[in-house]
Amino acid sequence: MKPALSIPRRLALVAVSLAALAPAFPASAQGAWPSKPVRIVVPFAPGGTTDILARALAPELSKAFGQQFVVENRAGAGGNIGADAVAKSAPDGYTLLMGTVGTHGINKSLYSKMPFDPQRDFSPITLVAGVPNVMVMNTEKAKARGINNVQDFIRYAKANPGKVNMASSGNGTSIHLAGELFKSMAGVYMTHFPYGGSGPALLGLLGGDMDVMFDNLPSSMPHIKAGKLKALAVTSNQRSAALPDVPTVEQAAGLKGFEASSWFGLLAPAGTAPDIVNRIQQETAKALNVPSIKERLLAQGAIPSGNSPAEFAKLIDAEIRKWGQVVKTSGAKVD
């Protein structure tokens, strides 16, 4: 008859057995994540489309995961400051980025020195939405200058070189590049004033300090509807369902091939566990299909997505190639 094991000996054997099983069940698979609030870093100031989308999504993710998803604005350097902070964060699923076409499509070609690599340093989660930009003016300024359409604007700009101030949400953003592309294709000169986000730039435009902006449609839409901003054209290759009476830049001015749309998506630091990435993607896709969320975004001119991490990664690769050519053609550069 074998001697009975002592209680300490039994506990030791149980511990060894559990330890042997542990590698087969990573912490995230055991439901440990999320065990505390998750940050969504918006690399621009409040009030812009990046911020609008993050704040629309955060409450839905909070409900889905039972933990708070908190939006944190970290503006500067065309989105590079906030994006770099996320790139250098621990890949534990607790720090996410609401990236943009600027941070992950344009800046790699526009900036001579980048603090991060948009492909190597991030794990793409999902494309949240795509939006056209819209060429807008302060309504009173447009009226005073007799500008009713894009052709009127081009005539005025050519007759008044150096006197047209163009606002943007920051160097390297799609708002900036849309303006640079317009300048090169229309043959006009505008003085560029980069702000720390669409919100502050819109205040400059609404206050009369700025003359024109190629803003993301969702952040300008309320002011267009209120009559404070005049929409001259959308920068996509097709009209927006949210503004069906507003022509494209190509239609309005005959600038063939003009297209400069924006997109926004969630990313995590490289090395984040695939199961965490997939869970966030799945819940984001569900949130974007909630009728109230979907209808609100569509009404603002945003087209919800929620695609897979692999599909989002392919989009980023393609956009880096596309905008690299645009930067080269326009001659835009930020040192």
Side-chain angles (χ1 to χ4, degrees):
M1 185 175 181
K2 293 182 180 180
L5 293 173
S6 66
I7 291 176
R9 176 66 173 161
R10 288 176 188 170
L11 292 175
L13 288 174
V14 169
V16 170
S17 298
L18 290 175
L21 290 172
F25 298 97
S28 56
Q30 296 176 36
W33 181 92
S35 60
K36 61 182 181 179
V38 177
R39 290 188 303 152
I40 301 178
V41 175
V42 169
F44 298 99
T49 299
T50 320
D51 187 66
I52 290 171
L53 291 173
R55 293 185 188 278
L57 194 57
E60 299 300 318
L61 293 178
S62 297
K63 286 189 287 186
F65 289 108
Q67 284 287 348
Q68 287 296 307
F69 278 65
V70 182
V71 175
E72 177 183 312
N73 297 87
R74 298 192 67 173
N80 283 349
I81 290 176
D84 184 48
V86 176
K88 291 177 172 56
S89 295
D92 54 11
Y94 290 102
T95 305
L96 309 178
L97 175 73
M98 182 62 82
T100 71
V101 64
T103 61
H104 282 74
I106 297 172
N107 289 1
K108 188 172 183 177
S109 299
L110 189 70
Y111 284 79
S112 57
K113 293 182 180 179
M114 283 285 286
F116 62 89
D117 186 288
Q119 293 153 299
R120 183 192 64 223
D121 295 337
F122 290 87
S123 293
I125 298 174
T126 187
L127 175 68
V128 173
V131 304
N133 289 5
V134 59
M135 183 181 181
V136 286
M137 288 190 70
N138 178 296
T139 300
E140 292 302 318
K141 271 199 165 186
K143 184 178 180 181
R145 295 173 177 179
I147 297 174
N148 295 304
N149 52 50
V150 179
Q151 290 182 335
D152 289 343
F153 179 88
I154 292 173
R155 281 195 291 270
Y156 178 86
K158 287 184 175 180
N160 296 275
K163 295 183 180 180
V164 176
N165 295 332
M166 180 185 79
S168 86
S169 54
N171 286 316
T173 61
S174 68
I175 294 172
H176 171 210
L177 261 289
E180 293 293 340
L181 185 61
F182 182 86
K183 285 164 63 175
S184 65
M185 292 183 71
V188 298
Y189 176 75
M190 298 181 287
T191 304
H192 176 223
F193 287 83
Y195 286 74
S198 281
L202 282 169
L203 289 177
L205 190 64
L206 292 166
D209 296 326
M210 296 290 109
D211 298 304
V212 67
M213 185 174 172
F214 292 78
D215 192 28
N216 303 143
L217 184 50
S219 45
S220 275
M221 184 66 85
H223 306 296
I224 294 170
K225 289 183 176 178
K228 295 179 180 180
L229 292 181
K230 182 176 181 62
L232 298 180
V234 291
T235 65
S236 47
N237 54 18
Q238 294 183 337
R239 295 191 184 210
S240 170
L243 288 175
D245 296 330
V246 177
T248 67
V249 170
E250 180 174 336
Q251 291 170 340
L255 302 182
K256 189 171 178 60
F258 187 99
E259 197 274 329
S261 296
S262 300
W263 51 260
F264 308 83
L266 284 175
L267 303 105
T272 301
D275 63 310
I276 292 177
V277 169
N278 290 331
R279 286 172 65 190
I280 298 172
Q281 182 272 323
Q282 289 161 10
E283 294 301 335
T284 299
K286 289 179 186 177
L288 293 172
N289 274 302
V290 172
S292 59
I293 301 291
K294 187 173 184 177
E295 289 167 13
R296 184 179 10 152
L297 295 183
L298 288 172
Q300 292 174 330
I303 303 171
S305 177
N307 64 1
S308 71
E311 289 169 332
F312 188 27
K314 286 182 181 179
L315 172 68
I316 291 171
D317 293 344
E319 288 289 278
I320 287 173
R321 291 192 297 271
K322 168 190 167 181
W323 285 102
Q325 188 59 46
V326 172
V327 169
K328 183 179 179 181
T329 301
S330 69
K333 209 70 183 172
V334 177
D335 294 317

